[in-house]
């Protein structure tokens, strides 16, 4: 969704507030589509002595799945990001500068990219999640599973003799 930044483009000191609600239900992460609820992207475009800065926040609640126990749970996700907007770029290697075209900035694409890059590689339902029993698959967060103690790996036998 393009945002018209012309009202602040040539007006130092001006601020433009915005809020959008994009539909990101098509975002797939590891075979799942966790964005099932409303997403809010809000922020400001500010003109500081002729330089446009874009600051925005993204907030939503994901339908996450724990990587250890498989439990599905709601996960609040909030992200903040910042960039500089410009009509032309002097140095092509400047990743912090985003081009605007015809007085428009593509806020939704910027926010979507920031959201994807901020997704956690490992999601846990709680920091001390114990996961599942490797033998019977029981949820160890609910208590011991009742499996007999596993025999130690024979490759570690030499090290276990040091404990005796």
């Amino acid at each position: 969704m393009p945002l018209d930044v012309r009202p602040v483009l040539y007006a130092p000191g001006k601020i433009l507030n915005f809020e959008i609600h994009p539909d990101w239900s098509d975002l797939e992460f590891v075979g799942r589509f966790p964005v099932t609820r409303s997403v809010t992207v809000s922020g400001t475009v500010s003109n500081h002595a002729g330089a446009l800065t874009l600051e925005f926040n993204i907030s939503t609640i994901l339908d996450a799945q724990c990587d250890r126990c498989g439990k599905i749970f709601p996960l609040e996700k909030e992200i903040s990001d910042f960039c500089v907007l410009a009509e032309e770029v002097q140095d092509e290697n400047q990743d912090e500068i985003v081009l605007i075209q015809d007085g428009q900035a593509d806020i939704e694409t910027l926010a979507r990219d920031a959201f994807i890059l901020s997704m956690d590689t490992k999601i846990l339902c709680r920091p001390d999640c114990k996961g599942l029993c490797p033998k019977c698959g029981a949820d160890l967060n609910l208590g011991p599973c009742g499996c007999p103690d596993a025999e130690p790996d024979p490759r570690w036998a030499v090290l276990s003799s040091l404990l005796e």
Side-chain angles (χ1 to χ4, degrees):
M1 173 181 167
L3 176 68
D4 187 4
V5 296
R6 286 180 284 197
V8 295
L9 189 57
Y10 301 111
K14 289 280 190 171
I15 296 174
L16 175 65
N17 295 313
F18 65 90
E19 180 173 303
I20 60 172
H21 301 277
D23 177 15
W24 292 344
S25 58
D26 63 329
L27 287 177
E28 181 181 358
F29 297 96
V30 195
R32 298 197 49 172
F33 297 90
V35 185
T36 59
R37 299 180 186 157
S38 173
V39 176
T40 301
V41 179
S42 60
T44 59
V45 177
S46 306
N47 187 325
H48 299 283
L52 290 183
T53 58
L54 168 66
E55 296 180 49
F56 60 91
N57 298 310
I58 306 167
S59 62
T60 189
I61 298 176
L62 302 175
D63 290 330
Q65 184 173 16
C66 181
D67 288 330
R68 287 189 187 157
C69 69
K71 176 182 172 187
I72 295 181
F73 64 101
L75 176 66
E76 287 186 35
K77 187 76 173 171
E78 293 196 22
I79 301 147
S80 296
D81 205 358
F82 169 89
C83 67
V84 175
L85 302 175
E87 291 182 286
E88 59 185 47
V89 178
Q90 305 296 333
D91 184 5
E92 296 292 327
N93 296 326
Q94 288 289 333
D95 291 338
E96 302 87 28
I97 298 177
V98 175
L99 285 176
I100 55 175
Q101 295 180 357
D102 300 323
Q104 308 271 323
D106 191 356
I107 302 297
E108 185 175 351
T109 301
L110 290 169
R112 186 180 178 110
D113 291 347
F115 183 80
I116 291 170
L117 290 172
S118 72
M119 285 298 287
D120 300 320
T121 56
K122 185 168 196 130
I123 296 175
L124 300 177
C125 60
R126 59 186 207 213
D128 63 339
C129 179
K130 296 177 182 174
L132 303 175
C133 172
K135 284 191 172 186
C136 68
D139 187 350
L140 298 175
N141 295 313
L142 303 175
C145 64
C147 287
D149 289 336
E151 295 179 21
D153 190 330
R155 295 173 290 184
W156 295 103
V158 173
L159 292 176
S160 64
S161 67
L162 294 174
L163 296 174
E164 294 172 358

